[in-house]
Amino acid sequence: MAVEPLQQITPILLCGGSGTRLWPLSRKSYPKQFALMVGGVSLFQASAQRLSGQEATTAFARPVVVTGSDYRFVVTEQLARVGIDPGPILIEPAARNTAPAVLAAALHLAQSDPEAVALVAPSDHEIPNPQAFRAAVRRGLPALRTGQIVTFGITPDRAEIGYGYLELAAESQSEAVPLSRFVEKPDAVRAAEMVAQGNFLWNAGIFLFRVRDLITAYEKFAPEMLQKVRKALELGRNDLGFLRLDPEAWDGVQDVSIDYAVMEKATNLSVVPFSEGWSDLGGWDAVWRQGTPDAAGVVTSSHATAIDCRDTLLRSESEAVELVGIGLTDIIAIATPDAVLVASANRAQDVKQAVAVLKARRARQAETLPRDYRPWGWYESLANGDRFQVKRIHVNPGAALSLQSHMHRSEHWIVVEGTARVTIDERELLVYENQSVYIPIGSVHRLQNPGKLPMVLIEVQTGSYFGEDDITRYDDVYARGQGAKG
């Protein structure tokens, strides 16, 4: 019996979204795909793990990642933590939705292999059964031989109004079946009708294709976008292993989803049904469902307590904040160190409205977490006053902050864990646990962790201004340039 050849599939992971409907845990500074939403790894890490390794007749290549500049080091760090070596990481100069992001990745793959098979997947979805999903991917591969683009439809278990739908041209079965049409998010009545009809699936936004077939679809339905994205890729530049797309060419690219730009117009689409569990975690109601509610319909985190509650989600994201609910029904309550959300469960999709209101008020909590992640580790503010600020700074093993100076503040560092190598102007010294050092205003300085364990220090800043833009960088291993994050 002939042995079927091994088919290599390149995952394309999209991780540029801000996840505003999961505020206050998910914010622009650190969106939901990187947070610990469910389980012991982030959604991004789980997505990468799900699309890695070799099974049966398929093998997954190193993933292509498309993300924004602020998240590039988060991507590499999180992949390293789960032992996955990334392929190309493409940096979008600005978020332009999924159509240009997918196209940029496909064009990059086509440079070396126009026949390459790719699987596009958002990095913020939850699929509890990765083996079943990989089996579904294998079921879609035969359709690619005839030039089909394959998408994956989720068998609905309720009349959901938060998802778009896929209408099948034939009854649902295990293999890829022709797609009749896309259906926009329906009202409750229409959703119930479609679920009862049996030939409608939720649109998961996951696509399997040969890159040349996808590029052909863009040539037919989005030629202007193809021209601009191709130019942005050609004029892109390598930066510490990342590929930065050209910002001038990218600036004119239309902000549109791949569904609107291409898929809804194409006639060569097939659907593989999938019924083994899926959620886009698009709101706190979805997190409640994934959290396995108890007999009373209650889901709590380790720092939350429910007393006589029903159909309620109580979640505290800080060990310093104990969240207690008494006599609640159909309530979502989420507590973080700097913000609290309380909402009716049936208004979970409206959380993004709250984010918009907070942004209009210029509230820091709208987009920024108290903990600010950097390529060398993270820091968080502990106390603030008119003339002082106190931070906790966590530096990863072997990492180093930039060589920098400040015009408006001095700093006092107290090492509480590990050892710091400190540069102050022409002087270099080691500062051990329980020791401190003073950085005068204007001094050129650097902080490094020479050890194999994390180094933690308390930083006390004094001066007239404490913004993160008061940084002049002279040298930086992460090539971030000037400004708060570079």
Side-chain angles (χ1 to χ4, degrees):
M1 184 175 64
V3 177
E4 190 172 348
L6 189 69
Q7 175 64 65
Q8 180 167 279
I9 302 170
T10 300
I12 299 174
L13 298 178
L14 308 178
C15 57
S18 58
T20 54
R21 286 179 293 177
L22 288 178
W23 185 89
L25 175 59
S26 176
R27 306 188 201 179
K28 184 179 179 180
S29 68
Y30 203 75
K32 69 172 181 176
Q33 59 265 29
F34 302 122
L36 296 178
M37 296 299 307
V38 292
V41 296
S42 72
L43 296 174
F44 171 66
Q45 289 171 313
S47 297
Q49 289 176 318
R50 184 163 56 244
L51 303 178
S52 64
Q54 179 177 326
E55 286 187 5
T57 57
T58 57
F60 287 99
R62 296 187 302 164
V64 176
V65 180
V66 185
T67 190
S69 183
D70 286 351
Y71 310 137
R72 64 195 189 279
F73 294 111
V74 179
V75 164
T76 55
E77 180 186 7
Q78 289 209 348
L79 289 178
R81 286 182 188 175
V82 293
I84 293 178
D85 184 17
I89 298 177
L90 277 56
I91 306 300
E92 298 176 287
R96 290 288 187 268
N97 215 314
T98 56
V102 173
L103 177 57
L107 288 170
H108 189 275
L109 288 172
Q111 291 175 347
S112 57
D113 183 9
E115 299 296 319
V117 172
L119 178 73
V120 167
S123 63
D124 56 0
H125 290 184
E126 166 71 3
I127 301 177
N129 190 338
Q131 293 84 4
F133 180 73
R134 289 192 289 266
V137 171
R138 290 194 293 273
R139 292 197 299 271
L141 288 171
L144 304 190
R145 299 169 190 156
T146 60
Q148 292 287 297
I149 295 173
V150 174
T151 187
F152 296 82
I154 310 303
T155 304
D157 58 10
R158 63 186 183 280
E160 174 62 59
I161 65 173
Y163 300 148
Y165 285 71
L166 306 171
E167 182 179 5
L168 304 185
E171 288 188 6
S172 174
Q173 58 189 56
S174 60
E175 304 301 325
V177 296
L179 173 68
S180 176
R181 65 187 177 106
F182 288 81
V183 179
E184 294 299 313
K185 295 177 182 179
D187 59 26
V189 174
R190 181 58 181 144
E193 291 173 350
M194 289 191 293
V195 171
Q197 192 168 325
N199 65 323
F200 288 87
L201 305 175
W202 292 336
N203 179 10
I206 303 171
F207 299 96
L208 179 71
F209 50 81
R210 291 183 301 195
V211 293
R212 70 173 173 88
D213 294 326
L214 185 74
I215 294 170
T216 297
Y218 277 87
E219 289 174 344
K220 185 175 183 180
F221 302 114
E224 183 178 353
M225 179 180 294
L226 176 61
Q227 180 183 9
K228 292 179 178 179
V229 173
R230 179 173 277 145
K231 185 176 180 181
L233 185 65
E234 290 173 351
L235 297 179
R237 63 182 179 87
N238 288 310
D239 176 15
L240 293 180
F242 305 104
L243 177 57
R244 288 185 177 272
L245 302 175
D246 181 70
E248 185 175 346
W250 192 259
D251 187 55
V253 174
Q254 185 182 6
D255 186 335
V256 63
S257 73
I258 191 172
D259 286 4
Y260 285 125
V262 174
M263 298 305 178
E264 293 184 3
K265 303 169 186 176
T267 58
N268 59 331
L269 261 69
S270 295
V271 183
V272 172
F274 184 71
S275 58
E276 298 298 323
W278 168 90
S279 174
D280 72 342
L281 293 183
W284 286 113
D285 53 340
V287 176
W288 170 79
R289 281 189 292 270
Q290 291 297 112
T292 314
D294 64 16
V298 174
V299 175
T300 60
S301 71
S302 57
H303 297 287
T305 302
I307 300 173
D308 296 331
C309 295
R310 299 189 63 83
D311 301 326
T312 289
L313 171 64
L314 299 177
R315 180 165 174 154
S316 172
E317 300 300 325
S318 171
E319 62 182 16
V321 178
E322 286 291 333
L323 178 63
V324 179
I326 302 175
L328 303 178
T329 300
D330 294 327
I331 292 294
I332 291 169
I334 312 297
T336 65
D338 66 334
V340 176
L341 168 71
V342 182
S344 296
N346 62 5
R347 300 291 300 275
Q349 296 299 311
D350 295 333
V351 172
K352 59 183 178 181
Q353 296 180 19
V355 177
V357 171
L358 291 173
K359 285 177 66 176
R361 287 172 42 197
R362 299 183 181 275
R364 183 182 185 276
Q365 290 89 337
E367 297 186 321
T368 306
L369 287 165
R371 180 171 291 184
D372 197 326
Y373 291 89
R374 299 296 173 93
W376 44 260
W378 52 263
Y379 73 85
E380 59 187 355
S381 182
L382 303 178
N384 294 278
D386 291 338
R387 299 282 302 178
F388 75 91
Q389 180 173 228
V390 181
K391 292 181 179 180
R392 175 166 57 177
I393 298 178
H394 176 112
V395 183
N396 295 329
L401 283 66
S402 62
L403 185 66
Q404 59 185 255
S405 66
H406 310 294
M407 293 296 294
H408 303 286
R409 67 177 185 256
S410 62
E411 297 172 341
H412 196 126
W413 294 343
I414 305 98
V415 176
V416 294
E417 292 182 28
T419 300
R421 178 180 288 124
V422 178
T423 300
I424 306 174
D425 295 323
E426 304 301 323
R427 185 164 58 107
E428 183 177 289
L429 65 156
L430 291 177
V431 183
Y432 299 97
E433 190 172 311
N434 295 324
Q435 293 183 340
S436 64
V437 64
Y438 175 67
I439 315 295
I441 289 178
S443 288
V444 177
H445 60 279
R446 189 200 295 270
L447 175 65
Q448 298 172 275
N449 178 3
K452 297 182 179 180
L453 296 174
M455 185 272 293
V456 180
L457 62 79
I458 303 299
E459 177 183 77
V460 180
Q461 302 175 352
T462 57
S464 59
Y465 178 69
F466 307 108
E468 287 301 306
D469 54 349
D470 180 25
I471 298 175
T472 301
R473 291 193 177 96
Y474 305 96
D475 178 66
D476 182 44
V477 295
Y478 308 107
R480 286 170 294 171
Q482 302 299 329
K485 290 192 176 181

